[in-house]
Every structure is written in C-alpha cells, then in structure tokens.
C-alpha cells in the first residue's frame, strides 16, 4: 500500500503542475474564510465593546425605572409620564430586612439644565441623587469631594460636576469653590468626578450632580416633589444579583399593590442588559457570518468543479497508475488529498488575510475586530472539510474508471 | 506460468453483443518469448487486456503464475498487475511531469517499497536498459527509443513474472525498433518471460514462438517448432 508521504508528494506535484488553476481555485476558499473570519470577528468585537460599556456603568448594578402599566390607561395620554417611583420606594429598598442582598440605593431624578459660569454657558444633564450614587455607579471623585448625607438632608446648594462639564465651563483654574447657576439657581461646586474614559459615551463625563432634596425643591419640573426618575441599586456581588433582583421586584410589587402583569415599573440588571445586547449582536453576527459562509460554499463548489475537470483531463494518467498497481482506494485517496490540500491552503491564506484585514479595519472603523484562536482553528478545519467534501465525488469518479477505458482514451 | 482455457469475452454495446474472444486456449511457460499477431479487430487488444489483468474474461479460466485471476475484484487485480506483470505500451505512457527515475519507481510506490530501496532498484533497472546517464531527464527530453527503454525499465523494476508488451515498436523508427527488439532478446536470454502483441511481422519473427489471432480465435504458427507455446 502506498504511504502517506508518497500520496502527499504526488498530490503536491499534481497541483504544482497546474499552479495557476490551483491558485484560482484556492481563491474561492480564501475569500470565503477571510469573509467569515472578519464578519464574525467584527460581531464579536462589537459584542465585547457593548459588554464592556455596560459593565462600566457600575458593578452589580440594578436599575428600577418607571413604566406605564397596560391596565392604568389613565397615565397614557397625558404627554410626559408621571413617574411611579418615589423616595419612599428607595427608602424601603434600602432596608436590609426587605432586600438583604442590596447594599446601596441611589434614587435619582434628572432634567436638562442650562449652566452658567463666570466665563460661559453650557447645557448638560442635571441629576439629583444621594451620596450612595458613587458606590452604585462605580464612580470616583477626582478633585474636591462628593456631597454628604447631611447636605442632602439640609438641601444644600452644592454641585459635583463631570470632567467634561468642568472643562467646558472653566477653561482655566480650579472649578472648586466657584459658583455656577443652574436654570437660574446658584450652586457652589465642591467636586469634579474622575473621567470614565469611555470614548463612545461622553455623556458619562458631562453631568452635574446635586443633592436630590435640592433638586426636588429648586430644579424639578415634575408635579410631584416626591417622585424620582430612576432608582439605582447595587447588589452585594455578582452571584447574589439575581436574588437581589427578586427581592427588589417582590418588594415593589407588594408596595405598589400590583402584579407582575400590570407592574408600573421595570427592574433591569446589568446582566439582563448584557444579555439583550449580546443576543442582538449575536443575531447580527450570525446573519453576516451566514452571508459570508455562502461565499465559502461557492468556493467549495469551485474546488469540486476543478477537481472534476482535473479527473477528466487525467483519465490516461489514472489508467496508467491503475495498470501499474494503484488500487481504486489509492486513486480515490489521491484525489481527496489534492482537494483537501486546495481547501487547507486556501484556508491558511484566508486566515492570514483575515488577520491582516482585522489589523487594517480596526483603526479605519474604530471598532474592535475580535479574532479568536478557536475561531481560526475552526475556520481551518472547515476549509479542510470543504475541500474533502468537494473532493468526494470527483475522487470516486476517478476511482471508478476502468483501467482499459482510461488507457484507451487519447 | 500462464494458462488460459476456454476464455471468452463478450462486450455489450447497447443492444448489440460483440464476442471479442471466442474460446482462447493458451499456455505460456516460464522463460518463453511469445508473439501474438493479428490485424485490428481480431480481438488482439482484448486478449492483451485479459492477459494483463486489466479486464476479466466473461467465461473460461485464466491462471497466472498459479493464481486464478478470472474472477478477482478490481483491488485484487491491481495487486496482481503490480506484482506479476510489467507493461510496455505503444505510447510509452510515461508521466510527463516526472523524471525518468521517478517514472520507473512508480510501480514500487504502489507496492509500498521504502524510498531508498526504490531508488536503488529503479537505478538498477535503468542501467539494465542502458539509460543510467539519463535518470534525471523528463520524458519530453528523451527520444522515442529512450522513452520506450524507460518504460521497459519500469516494467522490469518489480521483477515481474511476465513482461507484457502491447505494440512496443508501434511508435518507433526502425533504428529504435531494432534497439528495443534487441533489448527484449537480451531480457529473454536472461530468463524473462515475454509476451508481445503486435501487428508487425518483423516483431513477430523475433520471438521464439508466434501465434495468430483471427476473429477471437488463436491459430498456431510456430517459427521454431516447439510444443507448449500454443495449442
């Protein structure tokens, strides 16, 4: 029986004898593999980017936002929604008896505010909240300090601003101790937040934080001074996040006297956000990857086509090899190996092109193209598989040729 | 060495049945040099295919070197061809992309002989046909006579029981024809069994025995009257 080294050697010699054709055949596989790698890489890159962004919103974050329940139709037509969440809800959730897995609660209310410093004016989001906000949102103060619980209780006119807001309002000098006016009310700046460093969502760094009591009495546009727009909570750790979610949900359902069918609020965990984002990008990746996979399929058909041509061109050679003692199995293996080599070589160059494309596209699209090692190995295995599958029919045609018919053909 | 009795071969081309061989009885002893002559359409090629185990008879028995090959599978036939028969074709049938020595090595590749031994044996065979200086040439760089000698070397390399030549001089000029016939004579002297199929009387005359085939039947015609060549 013929050894593998000889089979490989013969296959390479046959492919080498028709270099141009072999190269063009490989091109089909090559483009397919590179396209699949890039589209899947882009999808995974986008997925990771989104996941990172959501994680940067705060670790173990749970947010409760108001929603209009389907049964309370009276709320609907009224233009801007009246929040169904109140300060009392936030206080209740801070009770360790009610929600033991919640460690920090930060009720927030927000509005758009026009800011005026001694130099300039600027429009930003003004958020009323409590000191726990820092913990819950996983933020830090860069210079100065955050406001205290005492300042919340006394409705002090103090504000903490984001780094971008700071640089917009005060081009020179420290903003600490400066007075700015927010919607006509004057506030003293006591701190500047550390930059979140996210390039895509600059709004994280463009914000003004004031005590929620001060917000309610002096800035709120809401009819009810007691209502809050979102309650942020921090779970104890990642493992107890779903327990915390359950406790919050159950407590709010009970206090609002509603069921989960007509709930007037929505509880969202970071995990559920990530899940939603992942499923969306996952579908996109699948769709794009599927389109790219079709080009790979076309490449495979190209291999089969060229192998069939090769078999009919080499009928005489096949006949001679059979006369000299090649069994049908040996001939079949010969052509399968040729097709497999076309597939693998196309795949290898395709993977190379995929990496090169990823390196080029990343700065151009300012998106991460994430190419993983397992994905690369799968791509190679797939290209070998395509080569082999495409080779099966031509190879069995070659193996079935009768030696006398093959020798006779001129 | 080679015993055929009552060998028939029928081809069916669509509705028509063609009886190419109609009962061939043939005995070839070891060390024999037999020529089979016949015009085209006589069944000559069909007989060559059956002797060469490229095809199996429809009826009758064929023993090659003591083995019944008349009902073997294609895989088994490939093995028999590889081990017991050395082919020499009219069109040489060398692979154009391979050097002379690689062409000669080919039957050994299919026999699974290790590379070093293969080279050695192919070299020896090429020396025997007087082409030791041309081993790295490709067929395109060799004359017709030289190409045919490469294919004789390829036929010899497995040390087969039988050398089967199908019109070996059909594509050669008279000078090369003489050379090849000379080579066959020498090989037979050294004990090789040779069967040549030809339509050239000149080639037939050089063999020890000669049989004619007409309409799928053998007719004896023995230049040197010895028993055993044909019945």
């Amino acid at each position: 029986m013929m050894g593998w080294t000889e089979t490989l050697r013969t296959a390479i010699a046959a492919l080498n004898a028709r270099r141009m054709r072999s190269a063009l055949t490989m091109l089909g596989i090559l483009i397919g593999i590179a396209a699949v790698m890039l589209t899947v890489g882009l999808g995974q890159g986008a997925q990771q980017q989104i996941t990172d962004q959501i994680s940067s919103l705060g670790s173990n974050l749970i947010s409760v936002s108001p929603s209009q329940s389907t049964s309370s139709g009276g709320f609907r037509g009224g233009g801007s929604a009246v929040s169904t969440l109140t300060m009392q809800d936030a206080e209740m959730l801070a009770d360790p008896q009610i929600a033991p897995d919640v460690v920090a609660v930060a009720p927030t209310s927000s509005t758009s505010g026009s800011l005026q410093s001694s130099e300039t004016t600027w429009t930003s989001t003004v958020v009323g909240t409590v000191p726990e906000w820092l913990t819950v949102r996983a933020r830090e103060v860069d210079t100065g300090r955050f406001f205290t619980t005492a300042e919340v209780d006394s409705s002090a006119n103090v504000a903490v601003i984001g780094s971008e807001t700071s640089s917009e309002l005060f081009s020179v000098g420290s903003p600490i101790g400066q007075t700015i006016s927010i919607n006509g009310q004057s506030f003293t700046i006591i701190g500047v937040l550390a930059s979140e460093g996210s390039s895509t969502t600059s709004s994280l760094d463009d914000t003004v934080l004031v005590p929620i009591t001060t917000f309610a009495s002096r800035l709120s546009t809401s009819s009810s001074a007691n209502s809050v727009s979102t309650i942020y909570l921090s779970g104890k750790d990642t493992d107890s996040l779903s327990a915390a979610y359950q406790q919050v949900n159950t407590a709010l359902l009970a206090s609002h006297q509603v069921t989960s069918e007509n709930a007037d609020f929505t509880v969202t965990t970071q995990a559920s956000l990530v899940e939603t984002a992942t499923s969306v990008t996952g579908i996109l990746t699948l769709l794009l990857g599927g389109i790219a996979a079709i080009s790979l399929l076309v490449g495979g058909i190209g291999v089969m086509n060229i192998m069939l041509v090769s078999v009919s061109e080499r009928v005489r050679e096949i006949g001679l090899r059979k006369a000299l003692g090649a069994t049908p199995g040996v001939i079949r293996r010969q052509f399968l190996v040729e097709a497999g080599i076309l597939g693998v070589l196309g795949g290898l160059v395709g993977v190379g092109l995929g990496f090169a494309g990823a390196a080029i596209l990343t700065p151009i699209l300012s998106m991460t193209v994430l190419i993983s090692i397992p994905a690369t190995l799968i791509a190679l295995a797939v290209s070998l598989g395509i080569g082999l599958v495409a080779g099966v029919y031509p190879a069995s045609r070659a193996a079935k040729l009768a030696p006398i018919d093959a020798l006779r053909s001129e | 060495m080679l015993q055929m009795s009552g060998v028939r071969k029928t081809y069916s081309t669509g509705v028509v049945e063609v009886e190419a061989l109609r009962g061939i009885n043939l005995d070839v002893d070891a060390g024999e040099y037999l020529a089979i002559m016949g015009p085209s359409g006589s069944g000559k090629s069909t007989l060559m295919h059956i002797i060469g185990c490229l095809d199996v008879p429809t009826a009758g028995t064929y023993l090659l070197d003591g083995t019944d090959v008349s009902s073997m599978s294609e895989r088994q036939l490939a093995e028999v061809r590889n081990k017991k028969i050395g082919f020499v074709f009219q069109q040489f049938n060398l692979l154009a992309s391979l050097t002379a020595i690689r062409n000669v090595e080919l039957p050994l590749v299919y026999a699974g002989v290790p590379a070093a031994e293969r080279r050695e044996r192919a070299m020896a065979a090429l020396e025997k046909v007087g082409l030791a200086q041309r081993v790295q040439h490709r067929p395109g760089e060799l004359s017709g006579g030289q190409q045919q000698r490469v294919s004789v070397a390829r036929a010899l390399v497995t040390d087969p029981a039988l050398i089967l030549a199908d019109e070996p001089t059909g594509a050669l000029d008279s000078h090369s024809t003489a050379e090849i016939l000379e080579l066959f004579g020498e090989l037979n002297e050294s004990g090789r069994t040779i069967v040549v199929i030809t339509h050239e009387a000149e080639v037939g005359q050089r063999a020890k025995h000669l049989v004619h085939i007409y309409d799928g039947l053998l007719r004896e015609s023995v230049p040197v009257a010895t028993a055993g060549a044909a019945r």
Side-chain angles (χ1 to χ4, degrees):
Chain A
M1 197 62 174
M2 191 170 171
W4 278 107
T5 356
E6 276 305 320
T7 311
L8 269 178
R9 192 174 163 178
T10 314
I12 290 167
L15 293 173
N16 197 35
R18 298 163 183 81
R19 242 161 286 152
M20 186 64 184
R21 183 199 289 180
S22 306
L24 286 174
T25 311
M26 278 189 276
L27 201 62
I29 299 280
L30 185 160
I31 291 172
I33 289 286
V36 170
M37 276 183 75
L38 282 178
T39 47
V40 172
L42 265 172
Q44 290 191 331
Q47 194 158 315
Q48 196 188 36
Q49 225 165 3
I50 292 170
T51 311
D52 286 352
Q53 269 172 27
I54 293 170
S55 304
S56 74
L57 297 177
S59 56
N60 310 324
L61 180 72
I62 301 171
S63 54
V64 184
S65 40
S67 70
Q68 298 174 6
S69 70
T70 44
S71 60
S72 55
F75 279 128
R76 270 201 213 148
S80 72
V82 174
S83 176
T84 54
L85 296 171
T86 61
M87 283 302 288
Q88 283 69 43
D89 287 329
E91 276 157 28
M92 175 193 70
L93 293 173
D95 185 348
Q97 301 286 313
I98 291 170
D101 284 313
V102 170
V103 289
V105 180
T108 63
S109 290
S110 63
T111 186
S112 171
S114 77
L115 316 176
Q116 195 173 0
S117 72
S118 50
E119 294 175 33
T120 183
T121 56
W122 180 250
T123 304
S124 184
T125 313
V126 181
V127 179
T129 188
V130 295
E132 281 81 4
W133 185 88
L134 273 184
T135 320
V136 172
R137 300 301 302 265
R139 296 294 294 266
E140 275 167 24
V141 175
D142 184 41
T143 51
R145 60 176 182 85
F146 207 77
F147 46 78
T148 61
T149 313
E151 282 165 324
V152 172
D153 290 343
S154 63
S155 304
N157 290 339
V158 290
V160 175
I161 58 176
S163 57
E164 197 186 322
T165 321
S166 170
S167 60
E168 289 292 344
L169 289 175
F170 304 98
S171 53
V172 285
S174 168
I176 310 292
Q178 303 269 4
T179 305
I180 57 165
S181 107
I182 304 171
N183 292 348
Q185 307 283 330
S186 53
F187 285 80
T188 307
I189 295 171
I190 56 165
V192 178
L193 290 172
S195 169
E196 189 57 33
S198 171
S199 57
T200 48
T201 37
S202 52
S203 66
L204 283 177
D205 285 328
D206 182 14
T207 185
V208 176
L209 299 162
V210 298
I212 193 162
T213 46
T214 320
F215 183 93
S217 59
R218 302 181 63 182
L219 297 171
S220 179
T221 53
S222 171
S223 51
S224 161
N226 206 19
S227 75
V228 297
S229 50
T230 307
I231 302 174
Y232 292 108
L233 306 101
S234 189
K236 202 162 32 179
D237 49 41
T238 322
D239 295 334
S240 60
L241 201 61
S242 66
Y245 169 89
Q246 284 303 330
Q247 291 155 10
V248 169
N249 204 35
T250 313
L252 285 174
L253 286 176
S255 75
H256 288 204
Q257 294 175 326
V258 288
T259 62
S260 53
E261 279 78 39
N262 61 0
D264 52 1
F265 60 91
T266 313
V267 185
T268 321
T269 63
Q270 202 195 101
S272 69
L273 280 177
V274 170
E275 213 169 275
T276 311
T278 305
S279 78
V280 170
T281 52
I283 289 168
L284 266 175
T285 305
L286 206 67
L287 195 75
L288 288 172
I291 293 169
I294 291 174
S295 73
L296 196 57
L297 185 73
V298 173
I301 294 170
V303 171
M304 187 188 281
N305 202 0
I306 227 62
M307 289 311 292
L308 280 174
V309 171
S310 185
V311 168
S312 43
E313 265 183 3
R314 285 151 71 191
V315 160
R316 235 182 129 68
E317 177 194 326
I318 295 163
L320 173 73
R321 288 182 184 275
K322 285 194 159 184
L324 297 183
T327 57
V330 165
I331 296 290
R332 178 179 296 113
R333 199 167 69 178
Q334 185 70 63
F335 279 87
L336 272 180
V337 167
E338 275 184 38
I341 289 176
L342 282 177
V344 164
L345 278 186
L348 272 175
V349 183
V351 164
L353 194 74
F355 275 112
I360 294 167
L361 282 182
T362 301
I364 291 177
L365 299 179
S366 69
M367 275 180 83
T368 322
V369 184
L370 206 71
I371 292 176
S372 61
I373 298 300
T376 308
L377 293 179
I378 289 170
L380 282 179
V382 164
S383 56
L384 171 65
I386 283 177
L388 289 180
V389 168
V392 166
Y393 176 60
S396 81
R397 283 252 301 235
K400 275 188 206 134
L401 281 173
I404 53 165
D405 293 333
L407 278 173
R408 247 204 305 262
S409 99
E410 290 299 325
Chain B
M1 171 61 57
L2 182 162
Q3 290 149 315
M4 271 190 183
S5 62
V7 166
R8 290 173 175 275
K9 182 72 188 179
T10 315
Y11 292 110
S12 58
T13 50
V15 282
V16 192
E17 290 224 327
V18 180
E19 207 167 27
L21 299 178
R22 301 189 295 154
I24 300 279
N25 299 309
L26 181 66
D27 261 10
V28 179
D29 294 333
E32 178 66 82
Y33 183 0
L34 172 74
I36 300 170
M37 283 191 69
S40 52
S42 58
K44 188 175 56 169
S45 292
T46 309
L47 182 58
M48 180 256 162
H49 290 150
I50 287 176
I51 294 175
C53 299
L54 292 166
D55 209 347
V56 287
T58 315
T61 57
Y62 173 25
L63 299 183
L64 177 65
D65 205 15
T67 333
D68 186 2
V69 294
S70 29
S71 57
M72 277 188 169
S73 73
E74 227 205 291
R75 209 178 59 77
Q76 292 169 309
L77 285 175
E79 212 166 296
V80 169
R81 289 195 295 268
N82 184 254
K83 293 206 160 56
K84 303 206 181 226
I85 300 168
F87 287 96
V88 179
F89 299 100
Q90 179 177 6
Q91 298 296 336
F92 324 135
N93 281 358
L94 299 172
L95 294 183
S97 58
L98 301 183
T99 58
I101 190 154
R102 287 282 296 160
N103 264 294
V104 175
E105 276 181 36
L106 215 48
L108 299 179
V109 168
Y110 292 121
V113 176
E117 187 189 338
R118 229 156 54 199
R119 280 215 106 66
E120 211 171 284
R121 283 170 68 176
M123 198 63 214
L126 281 164
E127 264 166 37
K128 211 173 282 179
V129 300
L131 278 178
Q133 309 305 315
R134 294 272 195 277
V135 292
Q136 293 303 333
H137 288 64
R138 285 172 209 281
E141 301 158 356
L142 298 170
S143 73
Q146 286 170 333
Q147 288 187 53
Q148 194 59 303
R149 279 193 278 160
V150 172
S151 73
V152 173
R154 183 180 62 193
L156 286 173
V157 79
T158 52
D159 196 18
L162 171 71
I163 290 187
L164 180 60
D166 181 23
E167 303 278 11
T169 59
L172 299 178
D173 59 29
S174 59
H175 177 71
S176 301
T177 300
E179 266 182 20
I180 292 294
L181 292 178
E182 189 72 23
L183 186 56
F184 279 170
E186 281 167 28
L187 290 173
N188 181 240
E189 295 282 292
S190 64
R192 294 271 163 207
T193 312
I194 301 176
V195 173
V196 177
I197 286 149
T198 186
H199 66 274
E200 293 173 72
E202 184 202 355
V203 177
Q205 296 305 323
R206 296 288 290 266
K208 275 189 199 162
H209 299 104
L210 179 65
V211 289
H212 288 274
I213 180 166
Y214 291 112
D215 299 334
L217 287 170
L218 287 182
R219 288 195 198 156
E220 203 164 350
S221 159
V222 188
V224 187
T226 320
R231 289 182 230 165

